[in-house]
Amino acid sequence: MSAIDFIKMMDSNPNIDYSELYKEYFKQFSKRERIDAFIYSMTLYKVTKGLFISNPELWIDFTKQDWQEVLIKNTNRPAIPDNPDGRIIDLYEYDDLIILNKFLKINPFSIILENKDKISRNNLLNCLKYGYFMSTFFYQSDEFLVEDFEDFSNISYVEVQEYSKNLITEGCEKRLNTPEELYSWLEEKIKAI
């Protein structure tokens, strides 16, 4: 069974807890297969964040370049209107942005802007507008993050922080400190596009 087929199986049987049964399942796949599976997961409703937390072996060796690929190849993003309503809260196609910012404390928008020549202008603007309108969803207290990883993962939050430091060493920018700072920063970036 391929990594994507496994994710399809998880999605079609949401009442089964696969976390213990397949704790290290993704270790058997090449990085190429895992990147493709991660990108594929963002086509499924509410799968990516749970998969990220419960299966760190899927992504733990992703480099900055791998995350760039995830962000660039995720072209399944719906349009964000200039005056959105509450329906954009549940747009799982933007989970890669939230994962990088909330859990890994990396600024995903700086990665996207670095690669703006590889992303359509509409996709770029939609990513920036989603972060702008949903900036409060891009942050969570460390206490809750520690609980998420302790309760649902086979990796500690300390290990996640160490991984994040490695991404920063590779050239990823650290996220902005608060939702308000992200909001203001994105406002300026949107005006410049």
Side-chain angles (χ1 to χ4, degrees), residues 1-58:
M1 178 183 316
S2 75
I4 288 176
D5 288 337
F6 179 70
I7 291 172
K8 286 178 183 177
M9 181 185 74
M10 290 173 69
D11 183 53
S12 65
N13 299 298
N15 296 328
I16 298 173
D17 179 9
Y18 292 94
S19 56
E20 283 303 311
L21 226 115
Y22 296 101
K23 201 174 208 174
E24 298 187 356
Y25 184 78
F26 289 103
K27 280 187 176 179
Q28 67 182 305
F29 298 106
S30 69
K31 187 187 277 190
R32 168 81 275 132
E33 291 172 296
R34 290 182 287 115
I35 290 170
D36 290 343
F38 195 89
I39 293 167
Y40 172 76
S41 76
M42 285 180 284
T43 67
L44 304 171
Y45 182 65
K46 290 191 176 185
V47 169
T48 310
K49 281 190 266 186
L51 191 63
F52 172 82
I53 292 171
S54 63
N55 298 94
E57 68 280 355
L58 175 64

Side-chain angles (χ1 to χ4, degrees), residues 45-185:
Y45 182 65
K46 290 191 176 185
V47 169
T48 310
K49 281 190 266 186
L51 191 63
F52 172 82
I53 292 171
S54 63
N55 298 94
E57 68 280 355
L58 175 64
W59 53 267
I60 193 63
D61 63 344
F62 284 11
T63 61
K64 177 185 179 183
Q65 185 176 354
D66 298 327
W67 284 111
Q68 284 173 335
E69 183 177 346
V70 167
L71 292 166
I72 292 167
K73 287 189 174 179
N74 182 6
T75 57
N76 189 42
R77 304 181 200 274
I80 304 297
D82 290 332
N83 296 307
D85 57 24
R87 287 178 285 187
I88 72 166
I89 289 172
D90 241 358
L91 294 180
Y92 54 89
E93 297 92 345
Y94 291 90
D95 281 352
D96 51 348
L97 302 174
I98 292 174
I99 285 168
L100 282 163
N101 201 87
K102 181 190 281 189
F103 297 103
L104 298 179
K105 299 186 179 182
I106 297 295
N107 185 339
F109 305 102
S110 64
I111 296 172
I112 287 173
L113 288 166
E114 284 174 25
N115 292 279
K116 65 182 174 187
D117 57 326
K118 299 174 187 170
I119 301 171
S120 75
R121 183 178 185 280
N122 283 342
N123 196 15
L124 173 65
L125 267 174
N126 284 325
C127 288
L128 298 177
K129 287 190 324 189
Y130 183 78
Y132 174 76
F133 290 119
M134 304 304 293
S135 58
T136 56
F137 287 91
F138 281 74
Y139 293 83
Q140 191 168 11
S141 73
D142 280 352
E143 294 81 28
F144 286 113
L145 294 174
V146 168
E147 276 183 39
D148 281 346
F149 283 100
E150 282 181 3
D151 293 345
F152 303 107
S153 188
N154 56 349
I155 188 172
S156 72
Y157 185 59
V158 172
E159 291 171 294
V160 172
Q161 288 178 307
E162 202 56 44
Y163 171 70
S164 177
K165 287 178 190 170
N166 291 339
L167 289 175
I168 291 168
T169 301
E170 286 181 35
C172 288
E173 284 184 28
K174 191 176 177 189
R175 75 172 185 191
L176 294 148
N177 292 323
T178 66
E180 296 77 26
E181 286 180 50
L182 178 62
Y183 179 89
S184 297
W185 186 84

